[in-house]
């Protein structure tokens, strides 16, 4: 089955700096890669996703890149703000089903 | 607005009790999922269902069962709760999409088994 690894597990940045979270996956059949943000006391919420026919996707301060050959994808947050502090999860999914395989999460703290 | 609701935010049960966690979605989604979330382990899939009365085991189904009698409702059952089932339980739903589709999560139920 699929194995998704996520690094780092914790990340602290100064407000205004950039944050990068990286994930690797093992199953070459995976073709959908969402990123979820989980704030305290809430369920995870999708913030951006990318499909395997695309190398990069941006949405304002958030971007995701995908390298299919190396089987890794990354989340980039620029100009971080305190409200970006949360736990972020990457995931991978394939056409063969609707099951997601999640990374172990990154706790991001943005220091004002 | 899309909504996934879970029956309880916090639950405390005793070892050996039968526990029901309920999840309801209002988006007419085919797929529903139950995960447990533990520090350092991320989200692990317990069971999922892609249709009424259909269920598939996830990565950690032992000690759990599920029921889906109606499309909007997916129940997780702990037949005999044990302390190692103390965890955060998250329900999610998605429409059936061949190329992957967004999962919408409920707020979670924090279960403590004493």
């Amino acid at each position: 089955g699929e194995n998704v690894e996520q690094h780092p597990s914790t990340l602290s940045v100064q407000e205004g700096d950039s944050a990068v979270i990286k994930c690797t996956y093992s199953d070459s059949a995976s073709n959908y890669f969402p990123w979820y943000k989980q704030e305290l006391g809430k369920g995870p919420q999708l913030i951006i996703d990318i499909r395997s026919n695309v190398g990069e996707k941006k949405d304002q301060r958030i971007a995701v890149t995908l390298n299919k050959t190396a089987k890794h994808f990354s989340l980039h947050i620029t100009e971080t703000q305190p409200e970006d502090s949360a736990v972020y999860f990457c995931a991978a999914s394939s056409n063969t089903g609707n099951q997601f395989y999640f990374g172990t999460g990154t706790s991001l703290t943005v220091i004002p | 607005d899309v909504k996934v609701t879970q029956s309880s935010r916090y639950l405390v049960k005793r070892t050996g009790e039968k526990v029901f966690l309920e999840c309801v979605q209002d988006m007419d989604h085919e797929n529903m999922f139950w995960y447990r979330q533990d520090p350092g382990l991320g989200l692990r899939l317990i069971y999922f269902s892609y249709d009424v009365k259909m269920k598939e085991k996830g990565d950690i189904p032992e000690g759990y069962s599920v029921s889906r009698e109606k499309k909007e409702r997916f129940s997780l059952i702990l037949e005999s709760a044990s302390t190692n089932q103390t965890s955060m339980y998250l329900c999610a739903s998605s429409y059936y999409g061949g190329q992957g589709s967004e999962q919408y999560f409920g707020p979670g139920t924090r279960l403590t088994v004493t």
Side-chain angles (χ1 to χ4, degrees):
Chain A
E2 174 67 280
N3 181 43
V4 176
E5 295 191 359
Q6 182 172 347
H7 300 280
S9 56
T10 60
L11 180 60
S12 289
V13 299
Q14 290 291 136
E15 182 177 357
D17 287 351
S18 295
V20 180
I21 303 170
K22 298 183 178 182
C23 289
T24 61
Y25 62 99
S26 60
D27 188 353
S28 56
S30 289
N31 59 4
Y32 176 63
F33 306 93
W35 284 89
Y36 283 81
K37 176 184 181 182
Q38 186 177 27
E39 296 175 336
L40 205 59
K42 296 183 178 180
Q45 190 166 16
L46 181 75
I47 53 171
I48 195 167
D49 56 11
I50 191 167
R51 299 191 186 274
S52 59
N53 57 347
V54 174
E56 184 175 2
K57 185 176 178 181
K58 286 183 182 178
D59 183 3
Q60 299 181 356
R61 297 186 297 108
I62 294 173
V64 56
T65 59
L66 171 65
N67 183 326
K68 281 173 55 181
T69 305
K71 295 197 187 72
H72 67 69
F73 56 112
S74 301
L75 177 71
H76 304 254
I77 306 174
T78 58
E79 301 172 20
T80 53
Q81 299 167 4
E83 51 265 38
D84 294 329
S85 296
V87 178
Y88 292 81
F89 292 97
C90 62
S93 177
S94 73
N95 272 346
T96 58
N98 288 271
Q99 185 171 350
F100 284 10
Y101 296 89
F102 283 87
T104 50
T106 297
S107 178
L108 173 65
T109 301
V110 179
I111 304 163
Chain B
D1 235 3
V2 156
K3 211 156 214 185
V4 179
T5 56
Q6 294 184 230
S7 51
S8 306
R9 293 300 302 272
Y10 301 94
L11 212 51
V12 179
K13 295 292 182 181
R14 292 184 182 268
T15 301
E17 278 193 87
K18 191 168 185 176
V19 182
F20 293 87
L21 302 182
E22 294 213 323
C23 174
V24 177
Q25 50 97 1
D26 65 358
M27 297 160 284
D28 202 34
H29 284 165
E30 292 85 1
N31 298 335
M32 296 188 75
F33 307 82
W34 274 107
Y35 295 90
R36 65 177 280 176
Q37 181 178 13
D38 300 289
L41 297 178
L43 278 68
R44 293 181 292 165
L45 183 65
I46 304 171
Y47 268 98
F48 69 99
S49 168
Y50 52 89
D51 201 354
V52 174
K53 297 193 186 296
M54 305 302 289
K55 60 184 178 184
E56 293 282 346
K57 291 181 180 179
D59 299 317
I60 52 165
E62 298 78 17
Y64 304 93
S65 62
V66 291
S67 171
R68 191 160 180 209
E69 297 296 318
K70 293 184 177 182
K71 191 175 185 180
E72 67 270 18
R73 190 180 297 268
F74 192 33
S75 301
L76 179 69
I77 303 152
L78 286 66
E79 295 288 343
S80 177
S82 63
T83 54
N84 62 12
Q85 292 178 310
T86 291
S87 186
M88 170 70 85
Y89 290 88
L90 290 164
C91 174
S93 73
S94 72
Y95 76 87
Y96 183 78
Q99 294 188 11
S101 57
E102 179 180 356
Q103 290 191 7
Y104 294 85
F105 284 85
T109 296
R110 185 163 293 283
L111 172 67
T112 301
V113 183
T114 61

